[in-house]
Amino acid sequence: MIKPMTDARARLEHAGLEATPRRIAVLEALAALPHAPAAQELLDTVRRTTRMDKVTLYRTLDLLVEAGILQRHSGADGTFRHCMAPAGKNAAHGHFQCTRCGVMTCLPSLPAALDAAALLPAGVTVEHVEVRLDGVCGRCQRG
Ligand SMILES: [Zn+2]
Ligand SMILES: [Zn+2]
């Protein structure tokens, strides 16, 4: 979890990006959501505070992913989700996605048993680990 505003600004500046109101708005909206939202949900959240069209959101997301501030995850439904990249107290983490409602939840961490090095051929460097568990969430199971 990041603290909104000050952390958003710090992360932008640390990545060498200007802390524009739109970039801050996108990061704050992501920090406020308890899961990794699809673009439309993120846009709806950003628009509560800031005027933004879809093209601008996509451009901003591309920039923030390139800068390593956000991570992009592919959903089981083929849509992309975004959440904060690991930094500080925000650890590397996996995701759970419900195959019925599509909500992608950030998990607190990666399983410690994931020993990727043991699976890989010699000389391989891992740059990104993506773990996604798919299933049915509690809400959909009750409904
Ligand atoms: Zn569900
Ligand atoms: Zn996440």
Side-chain angles (χ1 to χ4, degrees), residues 73 83 93 95 106:
H73 308 285
C83 66
H93 60 272
H95 295 88
C106 296

Short mmCIF file of all heavy atoms in Angstrom, two decimals, residues 73 83 93 95 106, ligand 2:
data_model
loop_
_atom_site.label_atom_id
_atom_site.label_comp_id
_atom_site.label_asym_id
_atom_site.label_seq_id
_atom_site.Cartn_x
_atom_site.Cartn_y
_atom_site.Cartn_z
N HIS A 73 -0.74 -6.26 -15.93
CA HIS A 73 -1.02 -7.69 -15.85
C HIS A 73 -2.11 -8.04 -16.85
O HIS A 73 -3.08 -7.30 -16.99
CB HIS A 73 -1.50 -8.07 -14.45
CG HIS A 73 -0.58 -7.59 -13.37
ND1 HIS A 73 0.63 -8.19 -13.11
CD2 HIS A 73 -0.67 -6.56 -12.51
CE1 HIS A 73 1.24 -7.55 -12.14
NE2 HIS A 73 0.47 -6.55 -11.76
N CYS A 83 -1.45 -2.20 -11.48
CA CYS A 83 -1.32 -1.87 -10.07
C CYS A 83 0.09 -1.36 -9.83
O CYS A 83 0.94 -1.39 -10.72
CB CYS A 83 -1.68 -3.05 -9.18
SG CYS A 83 -0.57 -4.45 -9.30
N HIS A 93 4.12 -9.10 -5.71
CA HIS A 93 2.94 -9.86 -5.33
C HIS A 93 2.29 -10.51 -6.54
O HIS A 93 2.48 -10.08 -7.67
CB HIS A 93 1.94 -8.96 -4.59
CG HIS A 93 1.45 -7.80 -5.42
ND1 HIS A 93 2.11 -6.60 -5.47
CD2 HIS A 93 0.38 -7.68 -6.24
CE1 HIS A 93 1.45 -5.78 -6.27
NE2 HIS A 93 0.39 -6.40 -6.77
N HIS A 95 -1.54 -12.25 -8.10
CA HIS A 95 -2.93 -11.80 -8.21
C HIS A 95 -3.89 -12.97 -8.27
O HIS A 95 -3.54 -14.04 -8.74
CB HIS A 95 -3.09 -10.95 -9.47
CG HIS A 95 -2.31 -9.68 -9.40
ND1 HIS A 95 -1.01 -9.60 -9.82
CD2 HIS A 95 -2.63 -8.46 -8.91
CE1 HIS A 95 -0.55 -8.38 -9.59
NE2 HIS A 95 -1.52 -7.66 -9.04
N CYS A 106 -5.07 -7.98 -5.72
CA CYS A 106 -3.64 -8.07 -5.42
C CYS A 106 -3.44 -8.93 -4.19
O CYS A 106 -4.09 -8.72 -3.16
CB CYS A 106 -3.05 -6.68 -5.15
SG CYS A 106 -3.13 -5.57 -6.56
ZN ZN B 2 -1.30 -5.98 -7.85
#
